[in-house]
Amino acid sequence: MDFFLIPKTLVSTPGGIACEFPDHRHERVSLRPAARLTAALGAFLVVSAAAADAGTVRGRMTYDGRVYALQHVYAWQAPLQDGELWIYLTDRLLPPEAARDDNRPGELAREKRFGGIKLIVSPVQPRLDDIRGVVYAPHDDGYAIDSFNFGPSWQELQIGNRRVSGKLSTNWMNWTLEAEFTAPVEGATGSVRTITGAAAQHPPHAVLFIAFEQVLVEGGLDLDAAGGYLTPARLAEMGARLQRFGAASFAEFQAGRRCGTPQGE
């Protein structure tokens, strides 16, 4: 049973850990055993600022003659990654947690939950002649999903300050796209720097991380106390898991972690 319910934007690295902060800067930190204990637990912590807005989009996509009026936009760049930026233009709302997954949008398309397109661009060196992605076009007899890699089709494409905007027109085989949008980029992290030595021993994020660990493993599970370190959604998920598996199961988990966790500085 897994009680580690903090969103996974904290990643283990050979020399330490990397965390996300409210100011969207990341630090890779070399830590002593007390902080490495957190990696042993396998928990993940995120403190993220909400997007300033949900973005705007206007336009439409057609596929095999069917028209999809585009009403929602969502942009996602995986934390600490600079290879791809995903931009979804959809007729119905695509949940952010699904948009961040490679496979989930296809599953939702099969269920006819949405139709639209995923555009994949380089956030570091965007080019007007670089257009690739996936078309999601559900039909009564199943759903169509087309991957594409061709260009040019962008008229405008701007990426900067955690925001993306663009305008494009595409007429390709059995589908077309006319759209203009602007949206905040979720997940993107900005700069990464390494700190070592004295500066790495008690950074604020490590102190916070260890405090949550102590609440989770060393004390009785107090949801009010845990709530100080969790997003509301993760806190609700933790409560649901406790109801499902019971307090005795969690106590067994705690006992195992106390025995397996290295103690010390």
Side-chain angles (χ1 to χ4, degrees), residues 3-14:
F3 280 94
F4 301 118
L5 303 177
I6 304 181
K8 298 183 179 180
T9 50
L10 177 70
V11 296
S12 299
T13 66

Side-chain angles (χ1 to χ4, degrees), residues 17-69:
I17 55 177
C19 296
E20 184 173 350
F21 298 91
D23 64 356
H24 304 289
R25 296 180 62 188
H26 283 65
E27 295 181 343
R28 183 170 290 113
V29 188
S30 298
L31 300 173
R32 294 195 178 195
R36 287 200 296 271
L37 179 150
T38 61
L41 281 176
F44 298 86
L45 174 65
V46 60
V47 184
S48 58
D53 59 71
T56 59
V57 58
R58 59 182 180 181
R60 70 177 195 168
M61 182 188 80
T62 66
Y63 190 93
D64 283 345
R66 180 172 178 177
V67 178
Y68 299 84

Side-chain angles (χ1 to χ4, degrees), residues 31-38 201-202 210 213-214 218 257-265:
L31 300 173
R32 294 195 178 195
R36 287 200 296 271
L37 179 150
T38 61
Q201 299 313 309
H202 300 286
I210 293 172
E213 176 184 279
Q214 291 173 337
E218 296 180 10
R257 284 301 180 184
R258 289 193 191 104
C259 294
T261 297
Q263 302 298 313
E265 186 179 24

Side-chain angles (χ1 to χ4, degrees), residues 10 28 30 40 68-69 74 80 95 112 126 142 157 189 229 241 244:
L10 177 70
R28 183 170 290 113
S30 298
Y68 299 84
Y74 183 80
L80 295 176
K112 301 181 182 178
L157 178 59
T189 59
Y229 307 97
R241 283 175 179 261
R244 179 180 178 185

